[in-house]
Amino acid sequence: DIQMTQSPSTVSASVGDRVTITCRASQSISIWLAWYQQKPGKAPNLLIYDASILESGVPSRFSGSGSGTEFTLTISSLQPDDFAVFYCQQYRGYPWTFGQGTTVEIK
Amino acid sequence: QVTLKESGPVLVKPTETLTLTCTVSGFSLNTPRMGVSWIRQPPGKALEWLAHIFSNDQKTYTTSLKSRLTISKDTSKSQVVLTMTNLDPLDTAAYYCARSRIESGYYYMDVWGEGTTVTVSS
């Protein structure tokens, strides 16, 4: 199975900050990576797929980059609605696997 | 508008079999280049993908639970069903279904249901 590792586990930030989350795959997955945002008690919401394509309706302050084994999710200017848990997920091979999650909390 | 809704028992006893249903709308389970997955999330923990069914009825399962899972679909009812046998308290989780689609390369999950919580306890 492909292992996905996110860092950091928690990031403390203020509104307006630039936030970057990293996701590493245990083997190359090319660009086949998605990012999700999950708020407490809610289902995950797709932000980015194919490593860098913004899902329709997602604010442009979210961006993704990377290929191979290293990927990043960047929030250019953190907004109050962005405090949540973020997950990366690879879909290059089955079983699909998720990272352990990164919590973005208010500083 | 694409929606998915999970349903099933809230409480199940250890060793019993769990049956969850995902009812979809806004797309057909026969639509090429689409499918449905099940994912779970134990309280306070990360997401775990469980199973996927394609429009052509091909299925795939997570390695560690493959012997306990069965996924199927009833296109006429727009439903995808997941059964999990021999339940254990460690199977307590929120269970989600999600639509998958393929555009340029591989299937990915784009729309999720709101989830249903299952507690395994005697």
Side-chain angles (χ1 to χ4, degrees), chain A residues 1 32 36 38 42-43 49-50 55 87 89 91-92 94-96, chain B residues 37 41 47 49 54 63 96 101 103-104 106-109 112-113:
Chain A
D1 299 2
W32 312 117
Y36 299 91
Q38 186 179 33
K42 300 295 186 182
Y49 63 96
D50 293 358
E55 173 71 345
Y87 291 95
Q89 179 242 328
Y91 47 92
R92 169 58 182 85
Y94 294 100
W96 290 346
Chain B
S37 272
Q41 185 173 38
L47 299 160
W49 174 80
F54 297 85
T63 310
Y96 299 97
R101 70 177 198 242
E103 293 189 353
S104 59
Y106 292 85
Y107 283 85
Y108 63 94
M109 297 177 285
W112 293 53

PDB file of all heavy atoms in Angstrom, chain A residues 1 32 36 38 42-43 49-50 55 87 89 91-92 94-96, chain B residues 37 41 47 49 54 63 96 101 103-104 106-109 112-113:
ATOM      1  N   ASP A   1       0.834  -1.187   0.000  1.00  0.00           N
ATOM      2  CA  ASP A   1       0.000   0.000   0.000  1.00  0.00           C
ATOM      3  C   ASP A   1       0.882   1.254   0.000  1.00  0.00           C
ATOM      4  O   ASP A   1       1.975   1.248   0.566  1.00  0.00           O
ATOM      5  CB  ASP A   1      -0.906   0.028   1.230  1.00  0.00           C
ATOM      6  CG  ASP A   1      -1.869  -1.144   1.303  1.00  0.00           C
ATOM      7  OD1 ASP A   1      -1.810  -2.021   0.402  1.00  0.00           O
ATOM      8  OD2 ASP A   1      -2.669  -1.193   2.251  1.00  0.00           O
ATOM      9  N   TRP A  32      -1.424  12.237  -9.132  1.00  0.00           N
ATOM     10  CA  TRP A  32      -2.732  11.705  -8.744  1.00  0.00           C
ATOM     11  C   TRP A  32      -2.976  11.851  -7.252  1.00  0.00           C
ATOM     12  O   TRP A  32      -2.951  10.877  -6.481  1.00  0.00           O
ATOM     13  CB  TRP A  32      -2.871  10.281  -9.246  1.00  0.00           C
ATOM     14  CG  TRP A  32      -2.475  10.160 -10.679  1.00  0.00           C
ATOM     15  CD1 TRP A  32      -1.446   9.419 -11.198  1.00  0.00           C
ATOM     16  CD2 TRP A  32      -3.041  10.866 -11.808  1.00  0.00           C
ATOM     17  NE1 TRP A  32      -1.359   9.603 -12.562  1.00  0.00           N
ATOM     18  CE2 TRP A  32      -2.322  10.487 -12.958  1.00  0.00           C
ATOM     19  CE3 TRP A  32      -4.104  11.787 -11.952  1.00  0.00           C
ATOM     20  CZ2 TRP A  32      -2.614  10.987 -14.234  1.00  0.00           C
ATOM     21  CZ3 TRP A  32      -4.393  12.280 -13.219  1.00  0.00           C
ATOM     22  CH2 TRP A  32      -3.654  11.884 -14.335  1.00  0.00           C
ATOM     23  N   TYR A  36      -8.510  17.532   0.654  1.00  0.00           N
ATOM     24  CA  TYR A  36      -9.847  17.730   1.193  1.00  0.00           C
ATOM     25  C   TYR A  36      -9.766  18.587   2.448  1.00  0.00           C
ATOM     26  O   TYR A  36      -8.797  18.516   3.204  1.00  0.00           O
ATOM     27  CB  TYR A  36     -10.498  16.397   1.576  1.00  0.00           C
ATOM     28  CG  TYR A  36     -10.666  15.443   0.429  1.00  0.00           C
ATOM     29  CD1 TYR A  36      -9.689  14.509   0.120  1.00  0.00           C
ATOM     30  CD2 TYR A  36     -11.828  15.445  -0.343  1.00  0.00           C
ATOM     31  CE1 TYR A  36      -9.844  13.629  -0.936  1.00  0.00           C
ATOM     32  CE2 TYR A  36     -11.997  14.565  -1.399  1.00  0.00           C
ATOM     33  CZ  TYR A  36     -10.997  13.659  -1.687  1.00  0.00           C
ATOM     34  OH  TYR A  36     -11.152  12.786  -2.731  1.00  0.00           O
ATOM     35  N   GLN A  38     -11.988  19.250   5.985  1.00  0.00           N
ATOM     36  CA  GLN A  38     -13.064  18.702   6.801  1.00  0.00           C
ATOM     37  C   GLN A  38     -13.269  19.557   8.040  1.00  0.00           C
ATOM     38  O   GLN A  38     -12.342  19.757   8.821  1.00  0.00           O
ATOM     39  CB  GLN A  38     -12.776  17.252   7.206  1.00  0.00           C
ATOM     40  CG  GLN A  38     -13.940  16.605   7.940  1.00  0.00           C
ATOM     41  CD  GLN A  38     -13.674  15.158   8.322  1.00  0.00           C
ATOM     42  OE1 GLN A  38     -12.559  14.756   8.619  1.00  0.00           O
ATOM     43  NE2 GLN A  38     -14.735  14.348   8.311  1.00  0.00           N
ATOM     44  N   LYS A  42     -18.628  17.278   9.936  1.00  0.00           N
ATOM     45  CA  LYS A  42     -19.032  17.356   8.530  1.00  0.00           C
ATOM     46  C   LYS A  42     -18.216  16.392   7.677  1.00  0.00           C
ATOM     47  O   LYS A  42     -17.175  15.895   8.086  1.00  0.00           O
ATOM     48  CB  LYS A  42     -18.835  18.784   8.000  1.00  0.00           C
ATOM     49  CG  LYS A  42     -19.631  19.830   8.732  1.00  0.00           C
ATOM     50  CD  LYS A  42     -21.122  19.647   8.547  1.00  0.00           C
ATOM     51  CE  LYS A  42     -21.908  20.789   9.157  1.00  0.00           C
ATOM     52  NZ  LYS A  42     -23.376  20.580   9.024  1.00  0.00           N
ATOM     53  N   ALA A  43     -18.725  16.151   6.467  1.00  0.00           N
ATOM     54  CA  ALA A  43     -17.987  15.322   5.516  1.00  0.00           C
ATOM     55  C   ALA A  43     -16.836  16.112   4.908  1.00  0.00           C
ATOM     56  O   ALA A  43     -16.875  17.344   4.859  1.00  0.00           O
ATOM     57  CB  ALA A  43     -18.926  14.853   4.414  1.00  0.00           C
ATOM     58  N   TYR A  49      -7.740  18.484  -7.033  1.00  0.00           N
ATOM     59  CA  TYR A  49      -7.472  17.151  -7.564  1.00  0.00           C
ATOM     60  C   TYR A  49      -6.381  17.260  -8.628  1.00  0.00           C
ATOM     61  O   TYR A  49      -6.022  18.365  -9.053  1.00  0.00           O
ATOM     62  CB  TYR A  49      -8.743  16.506  -8.122  1.00  0.00           C
ATOM     63  CG  TYR A  49      -9.367  17.229  -9.303  1.00  0.00           C
ATOM     64  CD1 TYR A  49      -9.095  16.837 -10.605  1.00  0.00           C
ATOM     65  CD2 TYR A  49     -10.234  18.295  -9.098  1.00  0.00           C
ATOM     66  CE1 TYR A  49      -9.658  17.499 -11.690  1.00  0.00           C
ATOM     67  CE2 TYR A  49     -10.803  18.970 -10.173  1.00  0.00           C
ATOM     68  CZ  TYR A  49     -10.516  18.562 -11.458  1.00  0.00           C
ATOM     69  OH  TYR A  49     -11.081  19.217 -12.524  1.00  0.00           O
ATOM     70  N   ASP A  50      -5.862  16.099  -9.008  1.00  0.00           N
ATOM     71  CA  ASP A  50      -4.720  16.063  -9.926  1.00  0.00           C
ATOM     72  C   ASP A  50      -3.614  17.015  -9.461  1.00  0.00           C
ATOM     73  O   ASP A  50      -2.972  17.692 -10.274  1.00  0.00           O
ATOM     74  CB  ASP A  50      -5.152  16.391 -11.355  1.00  0.00           C
ATOM     75  CG  ASP A  50      -6.060  15.324 -11.966  1.00  0.00           C
ATOM     76  OD1 ASP A  50      -6.318  14.310 -11.290  1.00  0.00           O
ATOM     77  OD2 ASP A  50      -6.525  15.511 -13.104  1.00  0.00           O
ATOM     78  N   GLU A  55     -10.984  22.525  -7.567  1.00  0.00           N
ATOM     79  CA  GLU A  55     -12.346  22.090  -7.802  1.00  0.00           C
ATOM     80  C   GLU A  55     -13.254  23.310  -7.970  1.00  0.00           C
ATOM     81  O   GLU A  55     -13.040  24.361  -7.356  1.00  0.00           O
ATOM     82  CB  GLU A  55     -12.828  21.212  -6.644  1.00  0.00           C
ATOM     83  CG  GLU A  55     -14.296  20.807  -6.670  1.00  0.00           C
ATOM     84  CD  GLU A  55     -14.637  19.801  -7.766  1.00  0.00           C
ATOM     85  OE1 GLU A  55     -13.840  19.609  -8.695  1.00  0.00           O
ATOM     86  OE2 GLU A  55     -15.725  19.199  -7.672  1.00  0.00           O
ATOM     87  N   TYR A  87      -6.809  16.948   4.590  1.00  0.00           N
ATOM     88  CA  TYR A  87      -6.280  15.616   4.268  1.00  0.00           C
ATOM     89  C   TYR A  87      -5.811  15.569   2.821  1.00  0.00           C
ATOM     90  O   TYR A  87      -6.480  16.108   1.923  1.00  0.00           O
ATOM     91  CB  TYR A  87      -7.364  14.543   4.430  1.00  0.00           C
ATOM     92  CG  TYR A  87      -7.802  14.285   5.852  1.00  0.00           C
ATOM     93  CD1 TYR A  87      -8.922  14.934   6.380  1.00  0.00           C
ATOM     94  CD2 TYR A  87      -7.119  13.380   6.666  1.00  0.00           C
ATOM     95  CE1 TYR A  87      -9.335  14.690   7.682  1.00  0.00           C
ATOM     96  CE2 TYR A  87      -7.526  13.135   7.960  1.00  0.00           C
ATOM     97  CZ  TYR A  87      -8.634  13.795   8.456  1.00  0.00           C
ATOM     98  OH  TYR A  87      -9.042  13.555   9.758  1.00  0.00           O
ATOM     99  N   GLN A  89      -4.880  12.714  -0.229  1.00  0.00           N
ATOM    100  CA  GLN A  89      -5.276  11.341  -0.585  1.00  0.00           C
ATOM    101  C   GLN A  89      -4.730  11.006  -1.957  1.00  0.00           C
ATOM    102  O   GLN A  89      -4.873  11.783  -2.907  1.00  0.00           O
ATOM    103  CB  GLN A  89      -6.802  11.209  -0.587  1.00  0.00           C
ATOM    104  CG  GLN A  89      -7.308   9.819  -0.964  1.00  0.00           C
ATOM    105  CD  GLN A  89      -8.146   9.821  -2.224  1.00  0.00           C
ATOM    106  OE1 GLN A  89      -8.843  10.775  -2.519  1.00  0.00           O
ATOM    107  NE2 GLN A  89      -8.090   8.729  -2.973  1.00  0.00           N
ATOM    108  N   TYR A  91      -4.700   8.633  -5.351  1.00  0.00           N
ATOM    109  CA  TYR A  91      -5.568   7.731  -6.110  1.00  0.00           C
ATOM    110  C   TYR A  91      -4.816   7.152  -7.314  1.00  0.00           C
ATOM    111  O   TYR A  91      -5.422   6.777  -8.312  1.00  0.00           O
ATOM    112  CB  TYR A  91      -6.872   8.437  -6.537  1.00  0.00           C
ATOM    113  CG  TYR A  91      -6.726   9.813  -7.159  1.00  0.00           C
ATOM    114  CD1 TYR A  91      -6.623   9.972  -8.534  1.00  0.00           C
ATOM    115  CD2 TYR A  91      -6.728  10.947  -6.354  1.00  0.00           C
ATOM    116  CE1 TYR A  91      -6.526  11.232  -9.099  1.00  0.00           C
ATOM    117  CE2 TYR A  91      -6.618  12.213  -6.910  1.00  0.00           C
ATOM    118  CZ  TYR A  91      -6.513  12.350  -8.276  1.00  0.00           C
ATOM    119  OH  TYR A  91      -6.409  13.610  -8.837  1.00  0.00           O
ATOM    120  N   ARG A  92      -3.510   7.041  -7.171  1.00  0.00           N
ATOM    121  CA  ARG A  92      -2.692   6.422  -8.225  1.00  0.00           C
ATOM    122  C   ARG A  92      -2.879   4.913  -8.223  1.00  0.00           C
ATOM    123  O   ARG A  92      -2.865   4.272  -9.279  1.00  0.00           O
ATOM    124  CB  ARG A  92      -1.213   6.763  -8.013  1.00  0.00           C
ATOM    125  CG  ARG A  92      -0.235   5.958  -8.877  1.00  0.00           C
ATOM    126  CD  ARG A  92      -0.502   6.118 -10.354  1.00  0.00           C
ATOM    127  NE  ARG A  92       0.402   5.315 -11.161  1.00  0.00           N
ATOM    128  CZ  ARG A  92       0.195   4.042 -11.456  1.00  0.00           C
ATOM    129  NH1 ARG A  92      -0.886   3.406 -10.981  1.00  0.00           N
ATOM    130  NH2 ARG A  92       1.049   3.383 -12.202  1.00  0.00           N
ATOM    131  N   TYR A  94      -4.742   1.319  -5.969  1.00  0.00           N
ATOM    132  CA  TYR A  94      -5.587   0.790  -4.903  1.00  0.00           C
ATOM    133  C   TYR A  94      -4.731  -0.059  -3.952  1.00  0.00           C
ATOM    134  O   TYR A  94      -3.820  -0.742  -4.403  1.00  0.00           O
ATOM    135  CB  TYR A  94      -6.706  -0.063  -5.500  1.00  0.00           C
ATOM    136  CG  TYR A  94      -7.676   0.727  -6.328  1.00  0.00           C
ATOM    137  CD1 TYR A  94      -7.598   0.735  -7.716  1.00  0.00           C
ATOM    138  CD2 TYR A  94      -8.668   1.508  -5.731  1.00  0.00           C
ATOM    139  CE1 TYR A  94      -8.476   1.478  -8.485  1.00  0.00           C
ATOM    140  CE2 TYR A  94      -9.554   2.253  -6.480  1.00  0.00           C
ATOM    141  CZ  TYR A  94      -9.456   2.235  -7.858  1.00  0.00           C
ATOM    142  OH  TYR A  94     -10.325   2.982  -8.616  1.00  0.00           O
ATOM    143  N   PRO A  95      -5.016   0.018  -2.636  1.00  0.00           N
ATOM    144  CA  PRO A  95      -6.078   0.799  -2.021  1.00  0.00           C
ATOM    145  C   PRO A  95      -5.757   2.290  -1.963  1.00  0.00           C
ATOM    146  O   PRO A  95      -4.604   2.683  -1.729  1.00  0.00           O
ATOM    147  CB  PRO A  95      -6.159   0.218  -0.616  1.00  0.00           C
ATOM    148  CG  PRO A  95      -4.771  -0.235  -0.321  1.00  0.00           C
ATOM    149  CD  PRO A  95      -4.243  -0.746  -1.636  1.00  0.00           C
ATOM    150  N   TRP A  96      -6.775   3.124  -2.207  1.00  0.00           N
ATOM    151  CA  TRP A  96      -6.601   4.553  -2.014  1.00  0.00           C
ATOM    152  C   TRP A  96      -6.230   4.801  -0.555  1.00  0.00           C
ATOM    153  O   TRP A  96      -6.771   4.156   0.342  1.00  0.00           O
ATOM    154  CB  TRP A  96      -7.884   5.293  -2.358  1.00  0.00           C
ATOM    155  CG  TRP A  96      -8.203   5.299  -3.830  1.00  0.00           C
ATOM    156  CD1 TRP A  96      -7.373   4.963  -4.856  1.00  0.00           C
ATOM    157  CD2 TRP A  96      -9.443   5.671  -4.418  1.00  0.00           C
ATOM    158  NE1 TRP A  96      -8.027   5.099  -6.057  1.00  0.00           N
ATOM    159  CE2 TRP A  96      -9.293   5.547  -5.828  1.00  0.00           C
ATOM    160  CE3 TRP A  96     -10.666   6.109  -3.919  1.00  0.00           C
ATOM    161  CZ2 TRP A  96     -10.320   5.839  -6.718  1.00  0.00           C
ATOM    162  CZ3 TRP A  96     -11.694   6.407  -4.801  1.00  0.00           C
ATOM    163  CH2 TRP A  96     -11.520   6.268  -6.186  1.00  0.00           C
TER     164      TRP A  96
ATOM    165  N   SER B  37     -17.551   5.131  -3.870  1.00  0.00           N
ATOM    166  CA  SER B  37     -16.688   4.557  -2.838  1.00  0.00           C
ATOM    167  C   SER B  37     -17.339   4.666  -1.467  1.00  0.00           C
ATOM    168  O   SER B  37     -18.222   5.509  -1.243  1.00  0.00           O
ATOM    169  CB  SER B  37     -15.351   5.302  -2.774  1.00  0.00           C
ATOM    170  OG  SER B  37     -14.402   4.775  -3.639  1.00  0.00           O
ATOM    171  N   GLN B  41     -14.361   6.801   9.155  1.00  0.00           N
ATOM    172  CA  GLN B  41     -13.522   7.644   9.999  1.00  0.00           C
ATOM    173  C   GLN B  41     -13.861   7.374  11.462  1.00  0.00           C
ATOM    174  O   GLN B  41     -14.892   7.848  11.966  1.00  0.00           O
ATOM    175  CB  GLN B  41     -13.749   9.119   9.665  1.00  0.00           C
ATOM    176  CG  GLN B  41     -12.840  10.069  10.416  1.00  0.00           C
ATOM    177  CD  GLN B  41     -13.007  11.496   9.918  1.00  0.00           C
ATOM    178  OE1 GLN B  41     -14.102  11.943   9.604  1.00  0.00           O
ATOM    179  NE2 GLN B  41     -11.895  12.240   9.858  1.00  0.00           N
ATOM    180  N   LEU B  47      -9.257   9.475   7.901  1.00  0.00           N
ATOM    181  CA  LEU B  47     -10.129   8.810   6.951  1.00  0.00           C
ATOM    182  C   LEU B  47      -9.492   7.517   6.458  1.00  0.00           C
ATOM    183  O   LEU B  47      -8.268   7.429   6.287  1.00  0.00           O
ATOM    184  CB  LEU B  47     -10.385   9.737   5.762  1.00  0.00           C
ATOM    185  CG  LEU B  47     -11.073  11.063   6.105  1.00  0.00           C
ATOM    186  CD1 LEU B  47     -10.833  12.085   4.999  1.00  0.00           C
ATOM    187  CD2 LEU B  47     -12.563  10.839   6.320  1.00  0.00           C
ATOM    188  N   TRP B  49     -10.227   4.666   3.348  1.00  0.00           N
ATOM    189  CA  TRP B  49     -10.995   4.206   2.201  1.00  0.00           C
ATOM    190  C   TRP B  49     -11.261   2.713   2.325  1.00  0.00           C
ATOM    191  O   TRP B  49     -10.368   1.946   2.707  1.00  0.00           O
ATOM    192  CB  TRP B  49     -10.229   4.502   0.917  1.00  0.00           C
ATOM    193  CG  TRP B  49     -10.879   3.947  -0.302  1.00  0.00           C
ATOM    194  CD1 TRP B  49     -11.926   4.477  -0.993  1.00  0.00           C
ATOM    195  CD2 TRP B  49     -10.542   2.718  -0.962  1.00  0.00           C
ATOM    196  NE1 TRP B  49     -12.256   3.655  -2.038  1.00  0.00           N
ATOM    197  CE2 TRP B  49     -11.429   2.583  -2.049  1.00  0.00           C
ATOM    198  CE3 TRP B  49      -9.590   1.733  -0.749  1.00  0.00           C
ATOM    199  CZ2 TRP B  49     -11.381   1.491  -2.924  1.00  0.00           C
ATOM    200  CZ3 TRP B  49      -9.532   0.649  -1.602  1.00  0.00           C
ATOM    201  CH2 TRP B  49     -10.419   0.531  -2.678  1.00  0.00           C
ATOM    202  N   PHE B  54     -17.320   0.406  -9.708  1.00  0.00           N
ATOM    203  CA  PHE B  54     -17.325   1.162 -10.955  1.00  0.00           C
ATOM    204  C   PHE B  54     -18.671   1.000 -11.663  1.00  0.00           C
ATOM    205  O   PHE B  54     -19.473   0.136 -11.320  1.00  0.00           O
ATOM    206  CB  PHE B  54     -16.201   0.659 -11.863  1.00  0.00           C
ATOM    207  CG  PHE B  54     -14.821   0.858 -11.301  1.00  0.00           C
ATOM    208  CD1 PHE B  54     -14.265  -0.074 -10.427  1.00  0.00           C
ATOM    209  CD2 PHE B  54     -14.064   1.964 -11.639  1.00  0.00           C
ATOM    210  CE1 PHE B  54     -12.993   0.095  -9.906  1.00  0.00           C
ATOM    211  CE2 PHE B  54     -12.792   2.139 -11.128  1.00  0.00           C
ATOM    212  CZ  PHE B  54     -12.261   1.210 -10.252  1.00  0.00           C
ATOM    213  N   THR B  63      -7.083  -3.521   1.394  1.00  0.00           N
ATOM    214  CA  THR B  63      -6.387  -4.778   1.633  1.00  0.00           C
ATOM    215  C   THR B  63      -6.754  -5.411   2.967  1.00  0.00           C
ATOM    216  O   THR B  63      -7.105  -6.597   3.049  1.00  0.00           O
ATOM    217  CB  THR B  63      -4.868  -4.539   1.585  1.00  0.00           C
ATOM    218  OG1 THR B  63      -4.539  -3.823   0.391  1.00  0.00           O
ATOM    219  CG2 THR B  63      -4.110  -5.852   1.622  1.00  0.00           C
ATOM    220  N   TYR B  96     -18.923   7.111   5.290  1.00  0.00           N
ATOM    221  CA  TYR B  96     -19.292   8.005   4.195  1.00  0.00           C
ATOM    222  C   TYR B  96     -19.308   7.246   2.870  1.00  0.00           C
ATOM    223  O   TYR B  96     -18.498   6.349   2.657  1.00  0.00           O
ATOM    224  CB  TYR B  96     -18.273   9.133   4.039  1.00  0.00           C
ATOM    225  CG  TYR B  96     -18.108  10.043   5.233  1.00  0.00           C
ATOM    226  CD1 TYR B  96     -17.081   9.836   6.150  1.00  0.00           C
ATOM    227  CD2 TYR B  96     -18.946  11.138   5.415  1.00  0.00           C
ATOM    228  CE1 TYR B  96     -16.903  10.687   7.231  1.00  0.00           C
ATOM    229  CE2 TYR B  96     -18.781  12.002   6.493  1.00  0.00           C
ATOM    230  CZ  TYR B  96     -17.756  11.767   7.397  1.00  0.00           C
ATOM    231  OH  TYR B  96     -17.585  12.611   8.458  1.00  0.00           O
ATOM    232  N   ARG B 101     -15.117  10.182 -10.040  1.00  0.00           N
ATOM    233  CA  ARG B 101     -15.175  10.430 -11.475  1.00  0.00           C
ATOM    234  C   ARG B 101     -13.756  10.404 -12.014  1.00  0.00           C
ATOM    235  O   ARG B 101     -12.784  10.507 -11.278  1.00  0.00           O
ATOM    236  CB  ARG B 101     -15.858  11.760 -11.794  1.00  0.00           C
ATOM    237  CG  ARG B 101     -15.077  13.015 -11.419  1.00  0.00           C
ATOM    238  CD  ARG B 101     -15.816  14.269 -11.858  1.00  0.00           C
ATOM    239  NE  ARG B 101     -14.936  15.427 -11.900  1.00  0.00           N
ATOM    240  CZ  ARG B 101     -15.086  16.513 -11.150  1.00  0.00           C
ATOM    241  NH1 ARG B 101     -16.077  16.580 -10.288  1.00  0.00           N
ATOM    242  NH2 ARG B 101     -14.269  17.535 -11.277  1.00  0.00           N
ATOM    243  N   GLU B 103     -11.314  12.051 -15.155  1.00  0.00           N
ATOM    244  CA  GLU B 103     -11.205  13.036 -16.227  1.00  0.00           C
ATOM    245  C   GLU B 103      -9.984  12.754 -17.093  1.00  0.00           C
ATOM    246  O   GLU B 103     -10.106  12.320 -18.218  1.00  0.00           O
ATOM    247  CB  GLU B 103     -11.187  14.448 -15.649  1.00  0.00           C
ATOM    248  CG  GLU B 103     -12.510  14.843 -15.013  1.00  0.00           C
ATOM    249  CD  GLU B 103     -12.589  16.296 -14.636  1.00  0.00           C
ATOM    250  OE1 GLU B 103     -11.558  17.002 -14.732  1.00  0.00           O
ATOM    251  OE2 GLU B 103     -13.675  16.746 -14.234  1.00  0.00           O
ATOM    252  N   SER B 104      -8.818  12.971 -16.539  1.00  0.00           N
ATOM    253  CA  SER B 104      -7.636  12.832 -17.383  1.00  0.00           C
ATOM    254  C   SER B 104      -6.840  11.558 -17.121  1.00  0.00           C
ATOM    255  O   SER B 104      -6.083  11.123 -17.968  1.00  0.00           O
ATOM    256  CB  SER B 104      -6.710  14.037 -17.198  1.00  0.00           C
ATOM    257  OG  SER B 104      -6.327  14.135 -15.834  1.00  0.00           O
ATOM    258  N   TYR B 106      -7.032   9.128 -13.578  1.00  0.00           N
ATOM    259  CA  TYR B 106      -7.509   8.161 -12.603  1.00  0.00           C
ATOM    260  C   TYR B 106      -8.752   8.696 -11.890  1.00  0.00           C
ATOM    261  O   TYR B 106      -8.974   9.899 -11.803  1.00  0.00           O
ATOM    262  CB  TYR B 106      -6.406   7.876 -11.571  1.00  0.00           C
ATOM    263  CG  TYR B 106      -5.229   7.134 -12.137  1.00  0.00           C
ATOM    264  CD1 TYR B 106      -4.193   7.825 -12.778  1.00  0.00           C
ATOM    265  CD2 TYR B 106      -5.138   5.753 -12.044  1.00  0.00           C
ATOM    266  CE1 TYR B 106      -3.112   7.143 -13.314  1.00  0.00           C
ATOM    267  CE2 TYR B 106      -4.054   5.070 -12.571  1.00  0.00           C
ATOM    268  CZ  TYR B 106      -3.050   5.771 -13.205  1.00  0.00           C
ATOM    269  OH  TYR B 106      -1.984   5.093 -13.738  1.00  0.00           O
ATOM    270  N   TYR B 107      -9.537   7.751 -11.354  1.00  0.00           N
ATOM    271  CA  TYR B 107     -10.737   8.131 -10.601  1.00  0.00           C
ATOM    272  C   TYR B 107     -10.344   8.864  -9.326  1.00  0.00           C
ATOM    273  O   TYR B 107      -9.366   8.481  -8.666  1.00  0.00           O
ATOM    274  CB  TYR B 107     -11.536   6.885 -10.227  1.00  0.00           C
ATOM    275  CG  TYR B 107     -12.327   6.292 -11.350  1.00  0.00           C
ATOM    276  CD1 TYR B 107     -11.735   5.405 -12.242  1.00  0.00           C
ATOM    277  CD2 TYR B 107     -13.670   6.596 -11.517  1.00  0.00           C
ATOM    278  CE1 TYR B 107     -12.462   4.845 -13.277  1.00  0.00           C
ATOM    279  CE2 TYR B 107     -14.418   6.040 -12.544  1.00  0.00           C
ATOM    280  CZ  TYR B 107     -13.803   5.170 -13.429  1.00  0.00           C
ATOM    281  OH  TYR B 107     -14.522   4.622 -14.444  1.00  0.00           O
ATOM    282  N   TYR B 108     -11.126   9.870  -8.958  1.00  0.00           N
ATOM    283  CA  TYR B 108     -10.964  10.543  -7.678  1.00  0.00           C
ATOM    284  C   TYR B 108     -12.358  10.871  -7.145  1.00  0.00           C
ATOM    285  O   TYR B 108     -13.321  10.931  -7.902  1.00  0.00           O
ATOM    286  CB  TYR B 108     -10.117  11.815  -7.815  1.00  0.00           C
ATOM    287  CG  TYR B 108     -10.718  12.877  -8.703  1.00  0.00           C
ATOM    288  CD1 TYR B 108     -11.490  13.913  -8.182  1.00  0.00           C
ATOM    289  CD2 TYR B 108     -10.511  12.843 -10.087  1.00  0.00           C
ATOM    290  CE1 TYR B 108     -12.046  14.873  -9.005  1.00  0.00           C
ATOM    291  CE2 TYR B 108     -11.070  13.801 -10.916  1.00  0.00           C
ATOM    292  CZ  TYR B 108     -11.829  14.807 -10.374  1.00  0.00           C
ATOM    293  OH  TYR B 108     -12.382  15.763 -11.192  1.00  0.00           O
ATOM    294  N   MET B 109     -12.453  11.100  -5.831  1.00  0.00           N
ATOM    295  CA  MET B 109     -13.744  11.328  -5.183  1.00  0.00           C
ATOM    296  C   MET B 109     -14.057  12.811  -5.156  1.00  0.00           C
ATOM    297  O   MET B 109     -13.260  13.603  -4.639  1.00  0.00           O
ATOM    298  CB  MET B 109     -13.714  10.754  -3.756  1.00  0.00           C
ATOM    299  CG  MET B 109     -13.514   9.247  -3.740  1.00  0.00           C
ATOM    300  SD  MET B 109     -13.378   8.555  -2.092  1.00  0.00           S
ATOM    301  CE  MET B 109     -11.713   9.064  -1.641  1.00  0.00           C
ATOM    302  N   TRP B 112     -19.265  13.981  -1.627  1.00  0.00           N
ATOM    303  CA  TRP B 112     -19.428  13.079  -0.501  1.00  0.00           C
ATOM    304  C   TRP B 112     -20.818  13.221   0.103  1.00  0.00           C
ATOM    305  O   TRP B 112     -21.419  14.305   0.077  1.00  0.00           O
ATOM    306  CB  TRP B 112     -18.406  13.402   0.596  1.00  0.00           C
ATOM    307  CG  TRP B 112     -16.986  13.139   0.233  1.00  0.00           C
ATOM    308  CD1 TRP B 112     -16.301  13.602  -0.875  1.00  0.00           C
ATOM    309  CD2 TRP B 112     -16.047  12.352   0.965  1.00  0.00           C
ATOM    310  NE1 TRP B 112     -15.003  13.152  -0.847  1.00  0.00           N
ATOM    311  CE2 TRP B 112     -14.814  12.388   0.262  1.00  0.00           C
ATOM    312  CE3 TRP B 112     -16.122  11.623   2.155  1.00  0.00           C
ATOM    313  CZ2 TRP B 112     -13.676  11.707   0.719  1.00  0.00           C
ATOM    314  CZ3 TRP B 112     -14.983  10.971   2.606  1.00  0.00           C
ATOM    315  CH2 TRP B 112     -13.780  11.007   1.885  1.00  0.00           C
ATOM    316  N   GLY B 113     -21.300  12.114   0.671  1.00  0.00           N
ATOM    317  CA  GLY B 113     -22.498  12.190   1.488  1.00  0.00           C
ATOM    318  C   GLY B 113     -22.164  12.788   2.840  1.00  0.00           C
ATOM    319  O   GLY B 113     -20.995  12.989   3.187  1.00  0.00           O
TER     320      GLY B 113
END
